[in-house]
């Protein structure tokens, strides 16, 4: 132990909260790093949905303080997929996570790049793993001990051999096609309130020449109006806002826009400008 | 920073646990107030249900130690509704929360009054807000930084201009009508076990002249017996207890009394004394 | 207070996360033991399911650091069932929980025995309970204060009179019948992913003469193959693995084996060796 890196250990998994999985990981981190503050980001990523986990991590990343992020959505547990630990390029901002730990399946890399990029990455060696390890609960047996060691100030090199960051597994980029008066865009996320986050941001809407009066085509086609707050919408009306992650999102006031549109994450929807006076 | 107010930051929201909302708020509080202990009261208040959140806060309040309560159930986010921070009248009990932070929509005021009343209240100014703020996630951008500053010892005045406590938004008081041999009363809460908490307490039952043998009228009418423990009830029998918040509650042993009665929060039920020997 | 026992207070309950029950317990522990780290193992044990809670505690126990375990799954709250606090036999491992607190209904004793056995047990006296106590929320009023006192270094004797460990309530042992070429075994647990944990371990399978090609009989009868990772299975194929708790478990790759088999906890399934060349 070189000296405490300090901060928190942030957890994001698909373990759910009904079983004791998340609790055992919290306990394992605390046991290996007494005094650590463990902060749950969420444990309810849909089972095995690496993409949903990666997107949640990207949304959370700019708001995390210093410390270590441990993320586990890992359908490949027990296979040859690598366990990795990364250091984020040191930026001016000191109160950002310095390390990310998790499976090499695309879960971590977007968030790390958002925070400054991968400075170094190592494969977590078995010899650095717990003696209790099995092949089905790497969160407890591999990632928690590694996160704890990094939190305590261990260097990446203590965990395993260096890898080429260019060889990290990556997920496909979300679909965004900017047309003339139209924007074809992937649904990234449906939140608890039914808000539909899109892969595009306001610059994409501007590039497509979209104004305030729009229509959105998914399973159904609906009018859509640019607004700045939920409360500006009439009951049942769909609005397009810039959400808290600076993405475009289709929303409804106190109702689920996702239900109105009949969409789920991964679907592609099209936003179109409505031409005033357009013939029926 | 004047000096640490100390204690914990207690969180109550309707953000749910499936998304990373609650996790980002935990992280934001910790980032703005390193070393703070964040304690989740619950994040599963039904979406937009300010009344349910206010009642949960009242039930929890007497059991909280020192620190800051941050509560967010906020259908009006992004509108002109005010963001407020309050100080609780200092009482003899030092181990009680000193500050409450949240929207001015009735969510906080009952709990603050239970603990001693509003000593002072300020509107949280935009200038005291985070530079990352948007209009859809005030929990992250407005309330978490404010709670962190108060936890660190900042004074209310550092957050914004003082308001008249008399102008705070209030929710309607729960319905309780004490009659002769009858008590008409609002259902406040159905808990996980199906226990039906009523707005009345044992003094209301005494004032209505209710004894141990009763009937309750809701969607259905059922016999009801005053008991002191769940285990005193026969299978399927309904009992009236004094619950852990000193409210009257209709309960069933290891079954949902709410399902038996067919009620939900906000419904009004009537308890009546059964006259021995009453004609059919 | 003798001096801090230190470590964490670990919580396991059936309170769920929708209500504020778990939050109030977290707050009560923190209020009675300022500075404590509270770690949730889970609050989503199925309501009143003492057996499920006891099994979750056994699975978690080997991975907990030092401190106090407080567990509450307590259908008998308010009855004559005893509230107990136990000390675990001191073993060589210092980083294990030293105390367990909860109802005397079988919830705690398996985990305590796994960690070294019951050194001493006391009944938590009413006089050691909070003045706010009621008969329906012992987690808040009895167990949280007791756990906090033990965490602060109080001795068991400060809580109440000693009991005979032999008189503790015990649950029935899970069913495991080792035959010739067959293993009849109870389903202990279905996890979030649908994995079916069995009461047997690899030694039981060896004793029954089971090899790699098997069949499992439950509601349906299916082929079953010994594998070491989920990924070794074809889509929809059932596998038998040694899981993260060193139990045998029936699994499916990215699907629910429990749904395929139609089983739930408490069911008994039979594993049989398949005789090569067996007539149809």
């Amino acid at each position: 132990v070189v000296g405490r890196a300090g901060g928190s250990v942030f957890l994001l998994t698909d373990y759910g909260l009904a079983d004791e999985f998340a609790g055992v990981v919290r306990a394992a981190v605390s046991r290996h790093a007494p005094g650590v503050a463990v902060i749950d980001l969420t444990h309810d990523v849909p089972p095995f949905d690496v993409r949903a986990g990666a997107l949640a991590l990207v949304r959370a990343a700019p708001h995390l303080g210093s410390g270590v992020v441990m993320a586990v959505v890992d359908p490949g547990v027990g296979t040859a997929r690598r366990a990795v630990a990364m250091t984020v390029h040191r930026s001016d901002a000191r109160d950002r996570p310095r390390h990310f730990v998790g499976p090499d399946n695309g879960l971590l890399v977007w968030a790390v790049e958002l925070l400054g990029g991968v400075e170094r990455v190592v494969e977590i060696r078995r010899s650095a793993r717990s003696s209790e390890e099995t092949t089905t609960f790497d969160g407890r047996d591999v990632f928690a001990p590694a996160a704890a060691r990094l939190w305590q100030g261990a260097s990446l090199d203590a965990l395993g051999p260096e890898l080429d960051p260019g060889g990290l597994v990556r997920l496909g980029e979300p679909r965004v096609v900017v047309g003339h008066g139209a924007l074809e865009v992937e649904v990234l996320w449906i939140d608890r309130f039914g808000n539909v986050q899109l892969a595009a941001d306001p610059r994409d809407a501007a590039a497509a020449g979209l104004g305030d009066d729009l229509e959105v085509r998914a399973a159904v086609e609906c009018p859509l109006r640019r607004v700045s707050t939920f409360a500006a919408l009439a009951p049942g009306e769909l609005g397009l806002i810039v959400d808290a992650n600076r993405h475009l999102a289709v929303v409804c006031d106190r109702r689920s826009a996702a239900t109105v549109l009949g969409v789920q994450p991964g679907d592609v929807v099209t936003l179109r400008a409505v031409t005033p006076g357009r013939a029926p």
Side-chain angles (χ1 to χ4, degrees), chain A:
Chain A
V1 175
V2 173
R4 290 202 175 173
S8 306
V9 170
F10 302 95
L11 304 180
L12 180 143
T13 77
D14 67 346
Y15 290 155
L17 293 168
D19 302 307
E20 77 285 356
F21 295 131
V24 166
V25 166
R26 293 176 193 126
V29 171
S30 294
R31 184 186 180 191
H32 291 284
V36 69
V38 177
I39 295 181
D40 293 323
L41 296 178
T42 181
H43 294 286
D44 275 329
V45 173
F48 311 127
D49 192 338
V50 178
R51 190 175 189 83
L55 291 168
L57 215 49
V58 165
R59 292 190 300 268
H63 308 286
L64 307 182
S66 63
V68 180
V69 175
M70 169 183 154
V72 190
V73 181
D74 193 13
V77 64
T79 69
R81 77 94 184 88
R82 300 180 296 193
V84 293
M86 308 183 201
T87 306
V88 182
H89 264 300
R90 179 74 79 183
S91 68
D92 292 343
R94 291 298 301 271
D95 63 340
R96 292 291 166 85
R98 181 80 172 129
H99 299 292
F100 280 67
V101 172
D104 175 26
N105 61 9
L107 180 63
L108 308 175
V109 71
W110 286 344
V112 172
E113 291 179 347
L114 182 71
L115 294 181
V118 180
E119 186 178 283
R120 296 183 64 220
V121 55
V122 299
E123 179 171 4
I124 304 174
R125 267 197 317 259
R126 296 214 149 252
S127 62
R129 296 180 183 187
S130 155
S131 62
E132 284 163 353
E133 81 183 308
T134 68
T135 55
T136 61
F137 197 0
D138 278 0
R140 180 191 74 189
D141 299 330
V142 178
F143 299 120
R149 292 185 69 188
L150 292 172
W151 181 84
Q152 288 178 311
S155 75
L156 272 194
D157 297 310
L159 298 179
E162 190 154 5
L163 298 174
D164 174 9
L168 288 169
V169 172
R170 301 184 67 91
L171 302 171
E173 295 292 325
R175 180 173 182 85
V176 183
V177 180
V178 176
H180 295 289
L183 188 57
E184 191 183 308
V185 61
E186 184 177 327
V187 172
L188 294 183
W189 174 46
I190 312 291
D191 73 17
R192 164 180 174 91
F193 305 100
N195 300 313
V196 178
Q197 187 177 69
L198 304 177
D201 67 21
R203 290 164 304 181
D204 299 312
L210 300 183
D212 288 351
D213 289 307
L214 307 164
E215 58 190 22
V216 52
R217 188 156 52 85
V220 294
E221 191 166 280
C222 300
L224 181 70
R225 187 159 60 91
R226 282 288 287 266
V227 293
S228 59
T229 71
F230 299 100
L233 295 166
E237 187 186 13
L238 290 178
L240 186 70
I241 64 162
V242 181
D243 74 7
N245 309 112
R246 308 225 175 278
H247 279 258
L248 297 178
V250 180
V251 305
C252 212
D253 188 26
R254 308 190 203 190
R255 295 192 200 181
S256 168
T259 302
V260 173
L261 284 175
V263 292
Q264 51 188 358
D267 287 353
V268 173
V269 303
T270 304
L271 308 185
R272 275 179 216 284
V274 173
T275 310
R278 195 176 72 161

